[in-house]
Amino acid sequence: MSDAPACGHPLCALIGGGCSLAAGVSRGCRAGPPPDRAIAAAVIDEVRGLLGALDPELPDAARRAAAAQLARIIRREAREDRSLLVLAADGDLEPALAERLTALCRRAR
């Protein structure tokens, strides 16, 4: 793993550079109809596959590519007001998947 970025996310450290999870959206009040917050099963399946691709036994380049794709999915879903991390925290993902995702996206203290 490379040096940890200022954000402290293990996923961002794997990718390298700055924070890869910053979605650039505010959590404030939003006008208009509420968004559909359901995350598609295909997205969950893709996340599951990408988490598997982060196996330390795999080459670093493959792991970085999987980590970057995972960060893109997390940002995309957040921009649509669907948070994979909230699903993980709320217990709406299978426990092993939620634990792995949370561990990668929790800021180091």
Side-chain angles (χ1 to χ4, degrees):
M1 261 200 233
S2 54
D3 292 329
C7 66
H9 301 121
L11 183 67
C12 299
L14 180 60
I15 296 167
C19 183
S20 296
L21 296 177
V25 294
S26 168
R27 294 188 213 192
C29 180
R30 295 192 177 115
D36 178 13
R37 291 202 168 114
I39 296 177
V43 172
I44 302 297
D45 289 342
E46 186 175 7
V47 167
R48 184 179 294 110
L50 289 168
L51 289 172
L54 296 177
D55 183 333
E57 298 296 319
L58 296 174
D60 284 346
R63 292 176 62 223
R64 271 192 302 279
Q69 179 60 22
L70 179 59
R72 280 191 290 276
I73 291 169
I74 291 169
R75 286 190 315 268
R76 180 192 70 214
E77 294 299 308
R79 288 181 185 129
E80 294 297 322
D81 209 14
R82 297 183 298 259
S83 176
L84 287 159
L85 301 177
V86 169
L87 279 181
D90 287 350
D92 293 331
L93 291 178
E94 62 189 63
L97 180 64
E99 183 178 315
R100 181 85 166 112
L101 188 62
T102 301
L104 284 168
C105 299
R106 182 181 300 135
R107 293 179 191 268
R109 296 190 171 133

